[in-house]
Amino acid sequence: MPVLSDNIRGALFMVCAMCAYTFNDAFMKALSDEIPLFQAIFLRGVGAVIFLAIMCRMLGQLRFRFPRRDWGLLLLRTAGEVGGTFFFLTALFNMPIANVSAILQVLPLSVSLAAALILGEALGWRRLTAIFVGFVGVLLIIQPGGADFSSYSIYALGAVACATMRDIAMRRMSHDVPAVFVGLIAAVGVMGLGAGGSLFTSWEPLTRTSGLQLAGAMTFMIFAYIASANAMRFGEIGFVAPFRYTSLLVALILGVIVFGEWPNALALAGGAVVVVTGLFTLYRETKLKIRHRIMPDRIK
């Protein structure tokens, strides 16, 4: 039996992670008929915090002495995670899961643009064109002014903006801050969002159905975290990252089978445009990094 290369193992972990994240989304969307948004966020967050705290303890990463700059970036990243969770789940509770997932696929493009504007990273005309075309694809999904337009698409865009801020903050953070600890602080922040929001909404008792759905969301979220961490550990980012788009395919399938939802032709076309431009952007970034290692003084 042939031994899998690190890149293939990383790609398989990424596919598993994206499937798990999307199943988590499906369970959370199903919960929208059972319990309020903030109650769902809080209860799921309790499970995530407990798991990540145990994991940090086992790995010896439960430490708090970091430079003030890293703490500022950590808090900024956590704010992005909290805001992204609120906007994403609000959109998910009120829109087809495939549409929300398709809009979220623009994240690699928005991060590339923000990195150029904020961090001064190089951005050539090819990638800039791809980013522009990708945002046109988002407009096809949202369809402003059309009969299928949903105001909750703005929430999905808010999730993209918050996730972009989160990822940019992570890029600036030093490697002294362990990844699992970063996840723990983010989970505490998201749980705090659920707790704070729950003060202003009435709680619903957990039924057997909602309890199983919540357990499913927790389980897939934890599995997704482990799988995504292993994906980055085993594979090269340029090879592994394109497999993130597995989530859109899974969202389409779950949308039809579980929720009876199917995006219209324009939304499907927009999703395809976003995925293609995202793949092109990842390809260009990988190619430029390889060229930079060979001829570092000739890359602009």
Side-chain angles (χ1 to χ4, degrees):
M1 182 176 179
V3 178
L4 297 179
S5 68
D6 283 346
N7 274 344
I8 296 299
R9 292 169 70 189
L12 291 174
F13 274 120
M14 181 59 76
V15 169
C16 290
M18 292 302 103
C19 290
Y21 275 127
T22 310
F23 273 98
N24 161 70
D25 295 342
F27 275 114
M28 291 297 288
K29 183 174 177 63
L31 274 171
S32 64
D33 295 328
E34 301 284 338
I35 60 177
L37 170 65
F38 289 111
Q39 181 182 350
I41 292 175
F42 175 74
L43 292 177
R44 188 189 66 170
V46 170
V49 168
I50 292 173
F51 169 78
L52 290 172
I54 293 173
M55 193 172 181
C56 271
R57 183 70 176 176
M58 291 175 62
L59 296 174
Q61 296 184 1
L62 197 61
R63 55 183 188 270
F64 299 88
R65 292 189 177 182
F66 304 112
R68 183 177 298 177
R69 178 179 180 275
D70 279 335
W71 267 113
L73 290 169
L74 182 57
L75 293 176
L76 181 63
R77 185 196 181 279
T78 301
E81 189 77 56
V82 171
T85 298
F86 169 73
F87 286 123
F88 174 76
L89 289 180
T90 301
L92 185 66
F93 275 33
N94 296 279
M95 286 177 62
I97 186 173
N99 288 45
V100 180
S101 180
I103 294 173
L104 263 291
Q105 304 311 312
V106 79
L107 184 59
L109 303 178
S110 65
V111 170
S112 294
L113 181 60
L117 296 175
I118 299 173
L119 305 182
E121 294 185 7
L123 185 65
W125 68 268
R126 293 181 182 86
R127 283 187 292 167
L128 190 60
T129 302
I131 289 171
F132 174 77
V133 174
F135 285 124
V136 171
V138 171
L139 289 177
L140 291 176
I141 300 168
I142 296 175
Q143 300 167 40
D148 293 325
F149 172 72
S150 170
S151 59
Y152 287 103
S153 298
I154 307 303
Y155 283 84
L157 290 176
V160 171
C162 289
T164 301
M165 180 177 74
R166 175 200 67 193
D167 289 353
I168 292 298
M170 191 67 189
R171 284 197 185 193
R172 298 295 298 272
M173 202 180 303
S174 73
H175 294 290
D176 294 333
V177 186
V180 180
F181 182 79
V182 171
L184 173 61
I185 298 301
V188 170
V190 172
M191 186 180 68
L193 168 70
S198 295
L199 296 176
F200 304 97
T201 57
S202 59
W203 277 44
E204 294 292 332
L206 285 179
T207 63
R208 180 180 180 183
T209 299
S210 60
L212 290 173
Q213 290 168 342
L214 187 62
M218 287 183 184
T219 301
F220 278 109
M221 187 178 181
I222 291 171
F223 181 79
Y225 180 83
I226 297 173
S228 60
N230 279 314
M232 293 296 100
R233 179 176 298 169
F234 286 109
E236 299 173 7
I237 293 178
F239 184 89
V240 170
F243 291 90
R244 291 181 181 274
Y245 294 109
T246 305
S247 62
L248 181 55
L249 176 61
V250 177
L252 283 168
I253 295 171
L254 289 177
V256 173
I257 295 176
V258 179
F259 303 106
E261 303 167 344
W262 183 254
N264 61 29
L266 273 179
L268 288 173
V273 169
V274 170
V275 169
V276 170
T277 52
L279 289 172
F280 175 79
T281 300
L282 291 169
Y283 163 75
R284 287 295 302 173
E285 287 183 356
T286 303
K287 186 175 181 180
L288 289 174
K289 286 177 181 177
I290 293 174
R291 190 181 302 173
H292 182 74
R293 287 198 294 266
I294 298 173
M295 300 178 296
D297 295 333
R298 296 184 60 181
I299 301 302
K300 300 295 183 182

